[in-house]
């Protein structure tokens, strides 16, 4: 029969008391509340296989382990179960001497059983043979001190709002435990003890234990969960471990940098465009360097600035521009600019010997002095020099190597590359979403253009502190040259100071990870997204990110839009998802783009038809 306990609902007790002077008088006694009165429920009902507290139902289980081997995080299915559970674990150290005595006796019994079976011509029991092998191995490790012995208990309590929900969830939990080779047994007639065992009081009222050695016990710790959901941030996708949402704010980590590795067609640009679209809704400014015009449809729809660099374009950037931050910065802006120009001209000119580097440094300083710009902060607001001024500085030098350096620059000043990087800057970062396109440039010019654009963006954004994301797509263009790779690494290392999150995307894993700068960019990125990989690259990825065999297999067999999402110390399998409207904006499938174009043409044709 259920037992009901109900505490008084009133704080006073009334007693009639006669007095000599008058009739009956009411006497009130105040009862002081205790802590138990405050926290105690109104009603507790204990049945043989469930417990009801107020309006909630509970059922407790103890477990027995039927498996011989366990691997790391083997309880993850239970921890990530799609329902609230109260789980308690108890670990009891056992003295090694008593354990060894018990093991010797058990080993002797099993050896005697096997010997008897063999003498009588019976088939040896494989279960006994396996137990004997385990016992001998454990005995050897205990004697050497490699392992210790423990007793382990695992209890689960299921809360539910109704009896029907409790029954359904109990079956699901039992099924999940069975898949882990755990037997789940309700604490029949001891539901109260089972419930108290799973409270955070660290008291085991049931004492249902199972023997475990150190290695096996270690696999139950920590209780790692695959949840990556926070109360703020943008939606990245669906957690494929448990179907929960991955909602994350990259700016809450130690740095806001992201790296994305995937083979062509795996959906890396699709995932990043979704992040861009959702970040814009929260007021984050986004700047993209786009080598393939993949971001133009998204830019047009959200009203961003699309800046195309090509021979027939009017958009120009002068690599000699200064940031004009000397008044507020402790850094020497002119010297910093000359250092970045050294890296740029090594990309343009190729390898330089020490003499040529010295001539380049002299010519750069001379170019700024010809415009009246020195280390004095006041002069750094003047009009900066152009590529032609550097060319003239080389021509005016007497050293023979200077003429060689001038020859290497001539095609940018007078030759076929004129008009690309030798004009004053006429672009501005005024829009919340800005895309720089370099698709129409030759492959030999793309690394130079991307370097100049990055340097311009970095120079401009340091003037105005604001939450920004900088996306560098196809970053392997820069990683092919040590100086441009070093420049990108410098941005990744210093971005945190300027409220900037750098997103680096590449499909050429070898070019990126073969350099120390590429590895450094990975280690300086709090978020890493790995999507479908080729068999040739997956081993290198696994080595850098310490992936398990299962994770390597996931990256090899992943569908488009699936992969691994690393955020800090946590990582989960992710599937990037978009609403139908978002999908129309971010898709890069040629068939879908052609279908969209055909639909737009039909709409225009229908509008131009005369109405009847």
């Amino acid at each position: 029969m259920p037992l009901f306990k109900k505490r008084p609902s009133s704080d006073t007790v009334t007693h009639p008391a006669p007095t000599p002077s008058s009739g009956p008088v009411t006497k009130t006694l105040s009862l002081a509340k205790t802590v138990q009165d405050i926290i105690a429920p109104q009603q507790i009902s204990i049945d043989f296989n469930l417990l009801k507290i107020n309006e909630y139902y509970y059922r407790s289980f103890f477990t027995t382990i039927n498996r011989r081997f366990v691997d790391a995080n083997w309880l993850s299915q239970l921890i990530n179960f799609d329902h609230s559970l109260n789980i308690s674990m108890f670990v009891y150290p056992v003295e090694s001497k008593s354990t060894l005595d018990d093991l010797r006796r058990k080993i002797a019994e099993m050896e005697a059983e096997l010997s008897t079976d063999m003498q009588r011509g019976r088939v040896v029991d494989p279960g006994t043979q396996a137990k004997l092998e385990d016992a001998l191995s454990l005995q050897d490790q205990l004697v050497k001190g490699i392992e210790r012995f423990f007793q382990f208990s695992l209890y689960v309590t299921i809360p539910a709002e109704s009896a029907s929900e409790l029954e359904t969830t109990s079956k699901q939990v039992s099924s999940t435990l069975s898949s882990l080779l755990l037997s789940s047994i309700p604490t029949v007639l001891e539901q109260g003890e089972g419930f108290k065992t799973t409270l955070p009081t660290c008291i085991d009222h049931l004492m249902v234990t199972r023997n475990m050695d150190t290695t096996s016990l270690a696999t139950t710790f920590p209780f790692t969960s695959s949840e990556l959901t926070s109360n703020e941030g943008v939606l990245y996708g669906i957690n494929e471990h448990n179907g929960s949402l991955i909602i994350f704010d990259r700016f809450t980590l130690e740095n806001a940098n992201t790296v994305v590795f995937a083979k062509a067609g795996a959906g890396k640009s699709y995932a990043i465009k979704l992040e861009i679209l959702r970040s814009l809704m929260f007021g984050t400014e986004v700047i993209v360097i786009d080598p393939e015009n993949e971001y133009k449809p998204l830019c047009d729809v959200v009203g961003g600035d699309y800046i195309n660099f090509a021979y027939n374009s009017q958009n120009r950037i002068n690599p000699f521009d200064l940031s004009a931050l000397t008044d507020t910065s402790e850094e020497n802006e002119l010297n910093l600019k000359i250092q970045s120009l050294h890296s740029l001209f090594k990309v343009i000119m190729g390898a330089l010997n020490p003499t040529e580097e010295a001539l380049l440094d002299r010519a750069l300083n001379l170019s700024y002095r010809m415009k009246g710009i020195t280390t004095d902060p006041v002069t750094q607001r003047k009009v900066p020099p152009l590529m032609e001024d550097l060319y003239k500085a080389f021509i005016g030098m007497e050293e023979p190597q200077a003429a060689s350096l001038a020859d290497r620059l001539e095609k940018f000043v007078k030759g076929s590359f004129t008009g690309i990087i030798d004009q004053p800057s006429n672009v501005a970062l005024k829009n919340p979403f800005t895309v720089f396109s370099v698709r129409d440039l030759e492959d030999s010019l793309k690394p130079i253009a991307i370097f100049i654009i990055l340097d311009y963006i970095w120079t401009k954004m340091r003037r105005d502190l604001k939450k920004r994301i900088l996306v560098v797509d196809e970053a392997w263009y820069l990683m092919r040259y040590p100086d441009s790779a070093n420049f990108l690494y410098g941005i990744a290392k210093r971005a945190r100071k300027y409220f900037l999150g750098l997103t680096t995307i590449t499909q050429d894993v070898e070019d990126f990870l073969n350099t120390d700068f590429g590895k450094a960019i990975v280690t300086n990125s709090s978020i890493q997204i790995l999507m479908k990989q080729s068999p040739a690259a997956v081993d290198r990825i696994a080595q850098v990110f310490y992936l398990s065999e299962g994770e390597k297999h996931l990256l090899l067999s992943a569908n488009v839009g699936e992969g691994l999402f690393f955020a800090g110390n946590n990582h989960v399998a992710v599937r990037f998802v978009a609403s139908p409207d978002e999908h129309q904006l971010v898709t890069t499938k040629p068939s879908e783009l052609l279908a969209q174009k055909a639909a737009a043409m039909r709409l225009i044709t229908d509008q131009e038809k005369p109405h009847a």
Side-chain angles (χ1 to χ4, degrees):
M1 292 291 292
L3 173 62
F4 294 90
K5 297 179 182 180
K6 189 173 181 180
R7 66 180 175 84
S9 59
S10 174
D11 294 336
T12 61
V13 179
T14 302
H15 297 281
T19 61
S21 59
S22 63
V25 176
T26 300
K27 183 179 180 181
T28 302
L29 300 177
S30 177
L31 298 179
K33 286 185 178 180
T34 64
V35 175
Q36 288 84 352
D37 293 327
I38 296 172
I39 66 174
Q42 290 286 344
Q43 175 180 298
I44 298 177
S45 173
I46 304 177
D47 210 333
F48 78 99
N49 69 343
L50 63 83
L51 176 71
K52 184 179 180 183
I53 301 178
N54 293 339
E55 300 303 321
Y56 276 83
Y57 294 81
Y58 299 87
R59 178 171 293 154
S60 298
F61 296 85
F62 65 86
T63 62
T64 59
I65 303 176
N66 303 319
R67 59 195 297 165
R68 191 175 170 213
F69 294 104
V70 290
D71 50 8
N73 201 23
W74 64 285
L75 287 174
S76 60
Q77 291 186 52
L78 181 63
I79 306 307
N80 295 314
F81 188 78
D82 192 19
H83 191 281
S84 296
L85 300 176
N86 299 331
I87 302 172
S88 289
M89 289 171 36
F90 294 88
V91 179
Y92 305 99
V94 179
E95 188 179 351
S96 297
K97 185 179 183 306
S98 62
T99 304
L100 285 171
D101 292 339
D102 292 339
L103 270 177
R104 275 193 220 99
R105 186 174 62 256
K106 287 291 184 182
I107 289 171
E109 291 175 359
M110 288 185 287
E111 286 178 339
E113 178 185 341
L114 294 175
S115 177
T116 303
D117 288 343
M118 293 174 65
Q119 289 176 1
R120 296 180 179 180
R122 297 175 183 173
V123 177
V124 174
D125 184 358
T128 304
Q129 183 70 43
K131 291 177 183 177
L132 178 60
E133 292 174 3
D134 292 343
L136 289 170
S137 175
L138 179 60
Q139 183 186 47
D140 182 58
Q141 292 175 333
L142 286 173
V143 169
K144 294 178 179 178
I146 299 173
E147 297 280 358
R148 291 192 60 194
F149 207 67
F150 300 87
Q151 288 187 330
F152 173 75
S153 302
L154 177 64
Y155 307 100
V156 179
T157 294
I158 304 171
E161 296 182 356
S162 65
S164 60
E165 181 187 352
L166 181 65
E167 294 296 332
T168 302
T169 307
S170 297
K171 293 178 181 178
Q172 294 173 346
V173 171
S174 297
S175 177
T176 300
L177 291 172
S178 297
S179 69
L180 299 173
L181 297 181
L182 296 176
S183 297
S184 56
I185 304 168
T187 56
V188 176
L189 299 179
E190 288 188 298
Q191 286 294 324
E193 301 301 312
F195 177 79
K196 289 189 291 183
T197 300
T198 55
L199 291 177
T201 56
C202 300
I203 300 174
D204 187 349
H205 296 273
L206 296 175
M207 292 297 297
V208 181
T209 62
R210 200 266 192 200
N211 297 330
M212 269 197 174
D213 57 18
T214 308
T215 303
S216 302
L217 184 63
T219 61
T220 65
F221 293 95
F223 259 19
T224 56
S225 174
S226 299
E227 293 288 343
L228 259 180
T229 300
S230 61
N231 295 326
E232 57 185 6
V234 300
L235 171 66
Y236 282 90
I238 303 250
N239 185 338
E240 295 205 294
H241 293 302
N242 53 26
S244 63
L245 300 179
I246 297 178
I247 300 174
F248 213 77
D249 182 4
R250 61 195 289 177
F251 290 93
T252 61
L253 298 172
E254 60 270 18
N255 64 68
N257 298 335
T258 300
V259 291
V260 184
F261 292 109
K263 65 185 295 186
K268 55 187 183 299
S269 297
Y270 187 95
I272 295 304
K273 281 189 278 188
L274 282 176
E275 183 194 16
I276 290 171
L277 187 60
R278 293 162 182 171
S279 298
L280 288 170
M281 298 178 186
F282 289 91
T284 303
E285 188 174 301
V286 181
I287 305 166
V288 179
I289 298 179
D290 179 13
E292 298 296 339
N293 280 19
E294 290 185 83
Y295 297 81
K296 190 175 190 308
L298 178 61
C299 184
D300 292 340
V301 170
V302 301
D305 283 344
Y306 192 80
I307 301 172
N308 184 31
F309 280 87
Y311 295 104
N312 57 355
S313 173
Q314 299 301 315
N315 300 307
R316 296 289 180 263
I317 289 180
N318 180 15
F320 292 83
D321 283 347
L322 292 166
S323 68
L325 273 179
T326 308
D327 293 340
T328 57
S329 174
E330 297 178 357
E331 301 170 319
N332 188 317
E333 296 298 324
L334 179 60
N335 285 356
L336 286 175
K337 171 55 66 174
I338 290 177
Q339 290 175 20
S340 70
L341 288 173
H342 269 279
S343 299
L344 170 63
F345 284 107
K346 286 179 184 177
V347 176
I348 294 174
M349 299 178 178
L352 301 178
N353 59 43
T355 303
E356 291 173 333
E357 283 198 46
L359 290 173
L360 174 61
D361 187 72
R362 192 191 312 169
L364 288 171
N365 281 284
L366 180 59
S367 301
Y368 280 101
R369 283 201 302 272
M370 287 191 296
K371 295 294 183 179
I373 299 174
T374 64
T375 54
D376 184 357
V378 177
T379 64
Q380 295 179 15
R381 301 185 183 275
K382 295 183 178 181
V383 177
L386 299 173
M387 189 72 71
E388 184 180 1
D389 297 306
L390 180 64
Y391 176 76
K392 291 178 179 178
F394 281 130
I395 294 295
M397 292 180 178
E398 298 180 355
E399 289 83 352
Q401 292 95 332
S404 172
L405 294 175
D407 291 341
R408 299 188 207 180
L409 282 185
E410 186 171 342
K411 61 183 176 182
F412 294 96
V413 179
K414 299 180 179 179
S416 56
F417 291 168
T418 304
I420 302 295
I421 58 175
D422 62 332
Q423 301 294 325
S425 299
N426 60 358
V427 300
L429 298 175
K430 297 180 179 179
N431 197 292
F433 186 39
T434 306
V435 178
F436 292 89
S437 172
V438 294
R439 187 192 67 171
D440 297 330
L441 294 177
E442 295 180 6
D443 283 347
S444 60
L445 272 178
K446 282 183 180 179
I448 299 171
I450 293 174
F451 189 106
I452 292 173
I453 293 169
L454 271 177
D455 185 49
Y456 172 80
I457 294 169
W458 180 244
T459 300
K460 295 295 181 183
M461 68 174 48
R462 290 167 59 210
R463 298 181 182 179
D464 182 21
L465 192 64
K466 190 185 298 183
K467 185 188 284 190
R468 292 185 176 96
I469 293 175
L470 172 60
V471 179
V472 183
D473 207 341
E474 303 298 350
W476 58 271
Y477 278 115
L478 295 176
M479 304 310 295
R480 291 185 297 178
Y481 303 94
D483 292 283
S484 56
N486 184 25
F487 182 74
L488 187 62
Y489 164 64
I491 294 178
K493 188 171 62 173
R494 301 171 62 200
R496 179 185 58 84
K497 300 178 182 178
Y498 301 99
F499 213 5
L500 171 69
L502 174 67
T503 298
T504 311
I505 309 172
T506 186
Q507 65 184 25
D508 198 326
V509 176
E510 288 299 323
D511 275 356
F512 199 91
L513 296 179
N514 273 343
T515 67
D516 292 335
F517 295 118
K519 296 175 185 175
I521 290 172
V522 172
T523 57
N524 278 275
S525 299
S526 294
I527 295 178
Q528 296 105 22
I529 298 174
L530 308 180
M531 304 180 77
K532 187 176 180 67
Q533 300 292 328
S534 66
V538 72
D539 287 334
R540 188 64 186 276
I541 288 284
Q543 180 184 0
V544 172
F545 292 93
Y546 303 101
L547 301 182
S548 66
E549 288 296 323
E551 290 167 335
K552 284 172 58 177
H553 179 72
L554 186 149
L555 294 181
L556 288 172
S557 60
N559 295 320
V560 175
E562 295 180 345
L564 293 174
F565 185 92
F566 292 72
N569 296 323
N570 301 317
H571 66 277
V572 297
V574 62
R575 175 165 49 89
F576 296 95
V577 292
S579 67
D581 290 336
E582 287 177 324
H583 180 78
Q584 295 294 323
L585 297 178
V586 302
T587 183
T588 54
K589 275 189 178 180
S591 59
E592 294 181 355
L593 295 176
L594 289 173
Q596 290 180 21
K597 188 175 181 180
M601 292 298 295
R602 285 196 301 269
L603 181 61
I604 294 173
T605 304
D606 292 341
Q607 290 176 347
E608 292 176 350
K609 288 180 180 179
H611 294 284

